[in-house]
Amino acid sequence: QVQLVESGGGLVQAGGSLRLSCTASGRTFSGYTFSDYAMAWFRQAPGKERIFVASISWSGSRTYYVDSVKGRFTISRDNAKNTVILQVNSLKPEDTAVYYCARAKTPYTTGTSLDEYDYWGQGTQVTVSS
């Protein structure tokens, strides 16, 4: 079983920054490892659906972002540490949400939709005050 644990959320003023981290542990019996899977961040604001924020390919060579965060958020990964990072800058009140880390269902595929990811962390709260 794979476990994903997020950290780094908090309360910040508009314009501020946070560094969200997600570390994977555990194992599957497929023979694949962390470095074979794309990773992503999603977020869910109160009363709203969970939406895609950013994803990164298994090697880290390709990244994807929702339009509303382009130029402000950066996703990266360190496969040696089984970690994926979301650096969030120039935060706005509308970025307030619980941020979730997720692992792709299928090795060597990088998606942007919820149903392409099967392992999820517990979430970390980001609150941006105006």
Side-chain angles (χ1 to χ4, degrees), residues 2-73:
V2 173
Q3 294 86 38
L4 302 176
V5 178
E6 302 101 332
S7 61
L11 172 63
V12 63
Q13 290 187 333
S17 298
L18 289 171
R19 181 178 172 88
L20 309 184
S21 179
C22 170
T23 300
S25 63
R27 59 176 292 179
T28 62
F29 297 96
S30 64
Y32 295 104
T33 64
F34 177 82
S35 62
D36 298 316
Y37 291 92
M39 298 293 293
W41 288 90
F42 291 76
R43 69 186 181 188
Q44 187 166 17
K48 296 189 177 181
E49 294 183 346
R50 192 172 299 188
I51 62 170
F52 170 79
V53 174
S55 61
I56 186 166
S57 64
W58 54 97
S59 64
S61 62
R62 290 179 289 119
T63 57
Y64 304 89
Y65 299 92
V66 66
D67 285 347
S68 60
V69 308
K70 285 180 181 177
R72 301 189 297 122
F73 291 12

Side-chain angles (χ1 to χ4, degrees), residues 93-110:
E94 52 264 42
D95 293 319
T96 295
V98 178
Y99 284 70
Y100 297 91
C101 170
R103 196 204 75 171
K105 278 183 182 177
T106 306
Y108 311 123
T109 62
T110 308

Side-chain angles (χ1 to χ4, degrees), residues 54 65 69 71-76 85-89:
Y65 299 92
V69 308
R72 301 189 297 122
F73 291 12
T74 303
I75 189 170
S76 61
I85 300 294
L86 186 68
Q87 178 68 40
V88 297
N89 298 328

